[in-house]
Amino acid sequence: MQIQQNISLKQYNTFGIDVNAANFISIENKEELKTFLKGNKQPILILGGGSNVLLTKNVEGIVLKNNLKGIEKLKEDNNSVELKVKSGENWHEFVLYCIANNYSGIENLSLIPGSVGAAPMQNIGAYGVEVKDVIMSVEAMNLKDCSIHHFKNKSCEFGYRSSIFKTKEKGNYFITSVTFKLNKTPKINTSYGAIEKELNQRGITQPTIKDVSDVVISIRKSKLPDPTEIGNSGSFFKNPIVSKDIKEKIRASYSDVPSYSQSNGDFKLAAGWLIEQCGWKGKIIDNYGVHANQALVLVNYGGAKGADIFKLSEDIINSVKNTFGIELEREVNII
Ligand SMILES: Cc1cc2nc3c(=O)[nH]c(=O)nc-3n(C[C@H](O)[C@H](O)[C@H](O)COP(=O)(O)OP(=O)(O)OC[C@H]3O[C@@H](n4cnc5c(N)ncnc54)[C@H](O)[C@@H]3O)c2cc1C
């Protein structure tokens, strides 16, 4: 266990923001984490893949880079399998592992960057699937007293891009592993239009989970900028959920507003569409801006400061508020 000083975090966040961490340590196992926490007095920033953070300043305390690795099979029968996955495993590699073993449930979540441990943090979701649907429990170590807690699915309080770890228990735990229950008899979900369309184009009528994963990967590659080429953190804002009245009010002026009905009668609007209507799509300010193909994605063209990108996000929030009366919420964690 070696603490390094004054480390650049540029390669540890997908935005590619160049700030320094006063102290930095890679955590390889739970015992190491416990030993470290017992002697620690500094503020902690946990980093997995750094794909959902915007670093706006130097980190004065210590960065714990999660490197807990391993996949353990807890239980298996003819229908399902339970896997306990250490939190430092790469999410997409875990998805590929499941596909290779014909374990179904997360193929729609292919190619989402980051670690397994961060997946429950914001209940990652894409193409009609959320990770909460396959999580049985989350194991986490309390950062103050090193006690281990097992959060059952229900006590994680999962919501749209949210969980108890992002709300009530924010900053209190290091997620050490996640236990998933996956299907051995594939339940294919092609409810998301783009998947169905792409499968049709490929002439696939009875898709396997590998087919779904391949299609999702190809759609994502065509839509989202690759962080290894252009710094970004995926969707910067959440899609706002509004009442029917508000949706209708907007529809009166913008007949083409996309909206998706929710089970409680509310409607989800596309944040990217709202931002685009305000004229931000493709906007470039010095070395950062709004992506040309997807207005929900803010980008660093190289050398941008986190504080500048934060200011841009504030300007976008104000502009959408003035135009539509809707206050966008950031999905990305601002550090
Ligand atoms: C190109 C691109 C596309 C994306 N597409 C999607 C998408 O489709 N759907 C989606 O939901 N997200 C998407 N994201 C966002 C991101 O990939 C996910 O939120 C991912 O789960 C973040 O994982 P990470 O390990 O990189 O987290 P990090 O960025 O390292 O951390 C995120 C937050 O979680 C905390 N944290 C991380 N690990 C732990 C831990 N073990 N214990 C406690 N706290 C922890 C951090 O302190 C931080 O606050 C995308 C990002 C990019 C760059």
Side-chain angles (χ1 to χ4, degrees):
M1 198 164 57
Q2 200 201 340
I3 298 181
Q4 295 171 275
Q5 262 93 38
N6 230 2
I7 292 288
S8 165
L9 295 177
K10 191 172 176 195
Q11 58 163 316
Y12 296 105
N13 71 101
T14 59
F15 250 124
I17 304 291
D18 194 4
V19 293
N20 279 358
N23 298 288
F24 182 99
I25 186 172
S26 174
I27 299 290
E28 308 292 323
N29 56 58
K30 259 196 309 198
E31 293 65 40
E32 227 175 65
L33 176 61
K34 196 168 175 180
T35 310
F36 165 76
L37 289 175
K38 280 191 166 160
N40 177 56
K41 291 200 172 60
Q42 312 180 59
I44 287 172
L45 170 63
I46 302 165
L47 276 186
S51 64
N52 202 17
V53 288
L54 176 65
L55 302 169
T56 57
K57 52 184 183 299
N58 287 330
V59 176
E60 303 297 344
I62 185 157
V63 167
L64 305 190
K65 171 79 177 101
N66 182 5
N67 210 16
L68 305 182
K69 294 285 163 88
I71 301 178
E72 186 189 349
K73 195 183 282 180
L74 297 182
K75 222 168 153 185
E76 185 171 18
D77 60 24
N78 288 339
N79 301 318
S80 63
V81 62
E82 289 175 25
L83 300 174
K84 182 173 179 176
V85 186
K86 298 230 173 96
S87 56
E89 286 285 345
N90 176 274
W91 173 260
H92 181 59
E93 279 169 24
F94 171 55
V95 173
L96 295 182
Y97 165 90
C98 291
I99 288 163
N101 287 283
N102 207 27
Y103 302 150
S104 142
I106 51 174
E107 53 281 358
N108 293 46
L109 303 180
S110 296
L111 211 62
I112 296 182
S115 59
V116 165
M121 282 291 297
Q122 72 153 7
N123 178 24
I124 57 168
Y127 301 98
V129 170
E130 285 181 320
V131 77
K132 72 172 171 56
D133 298 332
V134 291
I135 289 181
M136 293 186 74
S137 62
V138 173
E139 182 194 88
M141 190 180 285
N142 187 294
L143 295 177
K144 286 213 175 83
D145 62 14
C146 301
S147 57
I148 293 280
H149 290 243
H150 292 95
F151 293 85
K152 291 231 154 40
N153 181 299
K154 234 186 170 154
S155 27
C156 292
E157 300 183 9
F158 288 123
Y160 165 59
R161 295 300 171 276
S162 174
S163 76
I164 196 167
F165 306 106
K166 222 179 163 180
T167 52
K168 276 187 230 162
E169 296 291 2
K170 188 175 173 179
N172 291 343
Y173 286 96
F174 188 118
I175 294 172
T176 46
S177 69
V178 183
T179 299
F180 299 91
K181 185 169 184 174
L182 299 156
N183 284 307
K184 287 173 68 177
T185 36
K187 291 195 177 136
I188 305 286
N189 180 342
T190 57
S191 59
Y192 199 90
I195 298 185
E196 193 77 59
K197 198 170 149 203
E198 183 73 25
L199 285 168
N200 284 340
Q201 268 171 10
R202 293 180 184 202
I204 300 171
T205 49
Q206 291 196 311
T208 61
I209 55 172
K210 167 105 178 32
D211 291 329
V212 173
S213 171
D214 287 347
V215 159
V216 166
I217 290 172
S218 132
I219 299 171
R220 291 184 72 97
K221 280 189 174 162
S222 70
K223 276 191 171 176
L224 289 167
D226 178 350
T228 60
E229 286 162 17
I230 304 174
N232 75 92
S233 255
S235 304
F236 199 91
F237 303 97
K238 292 185 187 183
N239 290 317
I241 294 172
V242 300
S243 67
K244 190 172 178 205
D245 279 359
I246 292 179
K247 190 258 299 179
E248 290 303 336
K249 229 163 132 190
I250 295 174
R251 176 147 292 167
S253 316
Y254 299 83
S255 58
D256 58 340
V257 57
S259 64
Y260 309 91
S261 60
Q262 305 294 291
S263 53
N264 66 352
D266 285 345
F267 286 82
K268 192 187 267 182
L269 304 181
W273 184 89
L274 298 170
I275 296 166
E276 191 177 341
Q277 302 314 303
C278 297
W280 289 100
K281 194 172 178 182
K283 196 123 189 151
I284 298 175
I285 307 138
D286 300 331
N287 46 5
Y288 60 97
V290 181
H291 195 251
N293 300 337
Q294 174 50 273
L296 205 47
V297 178
L298 305 190
V299 289
N300 172 13
Y301 289 107
K305 299 233 173 313
D308 290 337
I309 294 176
F310 180 76
K311 167 76 169 55
L312 170 62
S313 75
E314 256 180 354
D315 292 345
I316 291 173
I317 289 172
N318 288 335
S319 156
V320 169
K321 179 125 200 239
N322 292 339
T323 311
F324 294 102
I326 292 173
E327 182 136 7
L328 291 182
E329 206 185 314
R330 294 178 187 89
E331 180 180 313
V332 170
N333 298 279
I334 309 299
I335 310 289

